[in-house]
């Protein structure tokens, strides 16, 4: 039996459904599903992702079966529509669209109005007595085909179109007279022929197969590859191709096109939200070529108020769909409600109205800001659509930090330059640039930038990623800029009509104010304000719906979440975000505050034990004070304090001028300082004299730090009555004997302090597992260690053999070549480093059954790494304070995924037992 590559849909029937996204892509699967639900969907067919995979693996060749299957599917469309593909007077015209399993808006290619040619246009226009519509459609088809299939530079095409409208004094495409449309079509064909070096194809079948091929090719175009990389989309076979009978929003003034959301994708407001254009095609809405109108009357009135448009003018020139086409509006509302109930999620829908008849072209779970995702999840639980666990699973852990973005203080007085559409919430303050390249270059130079464009296109993706905010003159809430910015968590203001951008002069004019490249502005993506100059931002707090979801997540998860915090301030932030303790306090980070570094340098430069002790006496009160602040901030939760880890050379100056200054300050000779610093130099310091090795060579350093920890803990317990739980962590242990020696000293110091203070503390002494040998001999190390904390930054470095300082030169290439799926310093290498961790946990607990195990590297806040830690049986993860909410949600999702997998396995066993 031949392989099936084509799945037709239409007339209420289809063999595809919403569960087949991997095969049919998200768009195709949902077109099949909507058809089966009885929605008015134009008939068509889906060419599968497996065909795309075959095409890419066989150097652009198709499976033998696919052409015949496409021909059969086209015959079926012809029967349902009563037209013929290639017929002059009653032609079947098609759209060809991409659609991967994961939504990638704007990243791949689309061709509309396929099937038109010189003969068809003339006969079709006569048949329907609508020359303007037919020639406008032909103009669009030639341009899209030139862009997608021909790979043409579109600037000359745009110049021809905009030049015509400027000469005629018109703005809308639908106002171009027929004679000019005919001339533009001729000019477009000449531009195509000049660039492609062949005539514009007139055979519809050639047009179709070249368009299908172009869509398959677009899977690997630069912007699609970049989008997948930015969003960590992996493991897909390719894109499906959706071929569908055309319906026309530009047919006449009783036709329209629009994009709508069952809830607001920016803030989650449950009110119906969307935009539409009369006498237009879908590209006009999403490309931002015309600023669209609002679908509901309520939104239209609000839009007009924000833009200073009188009600009478709004009602006549910018009416809502609810007012202009009430029958179609009511049908649209009923169907969007049906789809949201069916999919149990907020829907992003595209529709077309042709001569008063509504058609649905797409539905999908809508992309949304994190603010909207949280509100929608919480509301849907309240509405009974989903349960709490499903609400937690709906959150994208990689986007949670959007909730922690700063915002403009509403009490702050600002100078507003203009107001546009609040396309993506949050705030951004930066210097303006006008190109993606400039945004990347300025960011690389350490500058904060806002990218200003007339409108954005997929080619601007890298610049949008580099910018802190995006500002556009054109486009609405569903434009490319808005959709991509929301997905990236960037603030964005669109549709600022008074914004005039001059790319050549590198200026942006807003009324009487002209801004030049490098000038500072601020954007309020939540209100749509464009503000002159730099405005101070306010840090957000966790409350409302997200606070509720965090509470639900805490009820579900089993994995603890701590924070890496080195100061009382960081500890307070971590506690407020829900951290259950401190998993890593890097004591060396305390040395750089104020003039503390002088005492540290004095200790390092001392040649005798007594000299070091004298300097350490100056350091002791600083550390003690910091530890007291941390213990108080954590309110009795456990705190893991790592003793000094970095090599000593990191704390001393290496240039002559700084060494001379230090010598004068400490009363030493310049030569002595120079020689002592030189003696600390190591060829490979990360594998050199650091961590426990320093403690063994200079035990008075660790003794002083342990004394500071326990003096602070005893004092705080006396002052507050809290049960303080210090956990002393000795770093870089590779052999149990290292730990045994340092543990004995630490216990002696701790007991002496507690005896002197008259306080008894419950404390632990453990180690940071960073050396592969420690993983291999974890059963021995657990004899001494009361806890393990995996330092996965160094464990990755030593386990993979990569230098963190140098691997950036080649790891990106490794990821691009598929050697690693992700940079292992950002996402835990579960097969390699993870296997070392699993070994250490298993061996350690074989020796000490109650061994507490955690992770404190940067991976502790990365969602997939957190889930691995859950599966490995760790007690907790520890991450930066602002990543704590991410880790909490990821830990809850891991527990839910495990529960669902177990339930699925039980169900499978039950089914098999019945056979």
């Amino acid at each position: 039996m031949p392989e099936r590559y084509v799945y037709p849909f239409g007339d209420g029937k289809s063999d595809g459904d919403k569960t087949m996204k991997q095969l049919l892509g998200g768009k195709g699967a949902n077109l099949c599903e909507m058809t089966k639900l009885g929605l008015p969907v134009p008939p068509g067919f889906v060419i599968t992702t497996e065909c795309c995979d075959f095409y890419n693996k066989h150097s652009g060749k198709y499976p033998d079966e696919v052409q015949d299957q496409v021909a059969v599917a086209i015959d079926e469309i012809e029967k349902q529509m009563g037209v013929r593909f290639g017929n002059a007077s009653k032609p079947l015209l098609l759209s060809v669209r991409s659609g991967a399993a994961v939504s990638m808006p704007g990243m791949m290619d689309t061709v509309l109005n396929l099937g038109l040619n010189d003969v068809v246009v003339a006969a079709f226009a006569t048949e329907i007595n609508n020359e303007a519509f037919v020639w406008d459609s032909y103009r669009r088809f030639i341009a899209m085909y030139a862009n997608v299939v021909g790979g043409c530079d579109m600037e000359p095409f745009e110049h021809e179109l905009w030049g015509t409208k400027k000469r005629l004094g018109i703005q809308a495409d639908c106002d171009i007279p027929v004679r000019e449309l005919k001339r533009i079509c001729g000019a477009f064909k000449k531009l195509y022929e000049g660039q492609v070096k062949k005539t514009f194809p007139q055979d519809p079948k050639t047009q179709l197969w070249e368009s299908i091929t172009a869509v398959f090719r677009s899977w690997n175009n630069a912007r699609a590859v970049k989008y997948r990389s930015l969003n960590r989309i992996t493991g897909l076979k390719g894109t499906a191709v959706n071929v569908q009978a055309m319906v026309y929003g530009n047919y006449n003034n009783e036709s329209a096109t629009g994009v709508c959301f069952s809830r607001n994708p920016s803030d989650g407001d449950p009110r119906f939200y969307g935009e539409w254009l009369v006498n237009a095609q879908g590209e006009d809405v999403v490309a931002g070529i015309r600023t669209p109108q609002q679908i509901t009357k309520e939104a239209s009135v609000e839009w007009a108020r924000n833009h200073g448009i009188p009600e009478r003018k709004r009602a006549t020139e910018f009416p809502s769909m609810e007012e202009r086409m009430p029958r179609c509006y009511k049908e649209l509302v009923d169907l969007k409600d049906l789809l949201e109930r069916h999919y149990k999620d907020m829907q992003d829908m595209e529709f077309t109205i042709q001569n008063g008849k509504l058609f649905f072209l797409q539905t999908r779970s809508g992309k949304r800001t994190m603010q909207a995702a949280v509100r929608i999840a919480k509301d849907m639980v309240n509405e009974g659509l989903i349960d709490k666990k499903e609400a937690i699973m709906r959150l994208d852990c990689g986007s949670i930090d959007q909730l922690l973005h700063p915002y403009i203080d509403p009490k702050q007085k600002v100078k507003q330059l203009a107001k546009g559409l609040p396309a993506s919430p949050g705030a951004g303050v930066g210097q303006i640039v006008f190109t993606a390249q400039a945004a990347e270059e300025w960011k690389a130079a350490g500058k904060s930038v806002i990218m200003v464009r007339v409108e954005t296109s997929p080619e601007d993706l890298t610049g949008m990623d580099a910018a802190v905010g995006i500002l556009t003159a054109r486009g609405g809430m569903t434009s490319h800029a808005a959709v991509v910015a929301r997905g990236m968590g960037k603030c964005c203001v669109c549709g600022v009509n008074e914004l005039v951008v001059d790319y050549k002069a590198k200026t942006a004019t807003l009324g009487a104010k002209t801004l030049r490249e490098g000038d500072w502005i601020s954007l309020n993506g939540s209100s749509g304000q464009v503000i002159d100059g730099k405005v101070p931002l306010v840090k957000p707090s966790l409350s409302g719906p997200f606070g509720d979801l965090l509470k639900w997540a805490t009820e579900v998860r089993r994995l603890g979440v701590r924070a890496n915090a080195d100061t009382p301030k960081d500890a307070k932030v971590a506690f407020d975000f829900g951290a259950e303790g401190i998993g890593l306090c890097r004591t060396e980070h305390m040395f750089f505050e104020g003039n503390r570094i002088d005492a540290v340098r004095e200790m390092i430069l001392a040649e005798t034990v007594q000299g070091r002790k004298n300097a350490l006496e100056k350091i002791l009160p600083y550390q003690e004070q910091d530890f007291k602040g941390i213990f108080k901030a954590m309110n009795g939760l456990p705190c893991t304090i790592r003793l000094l880890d970095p090599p000593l050379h990191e704390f001393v100056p290496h240039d002559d001028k700084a060494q001379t200054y230090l010598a004068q300050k400490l009363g030493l000779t310049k030569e002595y300082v120079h020689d002592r610093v030189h003696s600390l130099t190591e060829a490979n310091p990360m594998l050199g004299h650091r961590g426990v090795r320093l403690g063994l060579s200079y035990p008075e350093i660790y003794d002083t730090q342990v004394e500071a920890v326990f003096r602070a803990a005893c004092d705080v317990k006396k002052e507050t009555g809290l049960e303080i739980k210090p956990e002393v962590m000795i770093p870089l242990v590779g052999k149990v004997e290292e730990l045994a020696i340092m543990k004995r000293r630490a216990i002696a110091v701790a007991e002496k302090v507690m005896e002197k203070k008259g306080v008894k503390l419950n404390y632990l002494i453990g180690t940071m597992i960073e050396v592969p040998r420690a993983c291999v001999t974890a059963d021995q190390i657990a004899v001494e260690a009361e806890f393990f904390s995996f330092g996965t930054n160094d464990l990755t470095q030593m386990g993979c053999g990569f230098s963190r300082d140098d691997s950036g030169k080649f790891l990106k290439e490794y990821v691009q070549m598929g050697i690693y799926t992700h940079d292992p310093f950002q996402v835990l290498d579960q097969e390699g480093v993870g296997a070392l961790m699993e070994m250490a946990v298993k061996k350690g607990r074989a020796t000490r059954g109650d061994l507490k195990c955690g992770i404190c590297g940067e991976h502790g806040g990365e969602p997939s790494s957190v889930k691995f830690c859950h599966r490995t049986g760790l007690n907790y993860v520890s991450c930066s304070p602002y990543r704590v909410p991410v880790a909490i949600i990821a830990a809850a999702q891991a527990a839910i995924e495990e529960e669902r997998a177990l339930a699925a396995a039980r169900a499978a066993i039950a089914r098999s037992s019945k056979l």
Side-chain angles (χ1 to χ4, degrees), residues 364-389:
R364 60 188 175 190
S365 292
K367 287 190 176 293
R368 64 207 77 177
T369 65
M370 202 59 211
Q371 289 91 334
V374 167
R375 181 174 178 182
I376 290 169
K378 173 75 187 303
D379 286 349
M380 286 190 168
V381 170
N382 294 341
E383 295 163 19
L385 279 176
I386 59 175
D387 61 21
K388 292 180 180 179
K389 290 181 180 178

Side-chain angles (χ1 to χ4, degrees), residues 99-129:
V102 177
S103 176
M104 297 168 56
M107 295 304 111
M108 292 178 290
D109 293 322
T110 296
V111 178
L112 304 179
N113 310 321
L114 188 148
L116 289 173
N117 58 31
D118 294 348
V119 173
V120 170
V121 167
F124 189 34
T126 301
E127 174 71 20
I128 65 173
N129 193 28

Side-chain angles (χ1 to χ4, degrees), residues 29-41:
N30 287 331
L31 283 169
C32 293
E33 186 77 9
M34 286 194 295
T35 299
K36 294 169 81 169
L37 286 172
L39 271 74
V41 177

Side-chain angles (χ1 to χ4, degrees), residues 132 326 518 552 569 675 774 890:
W552 299 346
K569 180 181 177 183
D675 292 345

Side-chain angles (χ1 to χ4, degrees), residues 614-674:
N614 292 339
L616 286 165
E617 286 180 5
K618 300 176 184 178
I619 297 171
L620 177 62
Y622 297 141
Q623 294 235 285
E624 181 180 351
Q625 194 62 34
D626 281 342
F627 292 141
K628 287 178 72 172
I630 289 170
F631 290 140
K632 287 180 179 178
M634 295 312 294
N635 202 36
L637 295 173
C639 297
T640 302
I641 313 293
R642 185 184 73 184
L643 303 184
L644 185 65
D645 184 36
L648 295 180
H649 79 90
E650 290 191 7
F651 301 100
V652 293
H654 292 270
D655 61 283
D656 287 343
K657 185 176 180 181
Q659 288 180 2
T660 300
Y661 175 76
L662 179 61
Q664 292 173 348
K665 198 167 188 179
L666 299 180
L668 303 169
T669 66
K670 175 187 174 183
E671 290 74 21
Y672 174 83
V673 172
H674 176 271

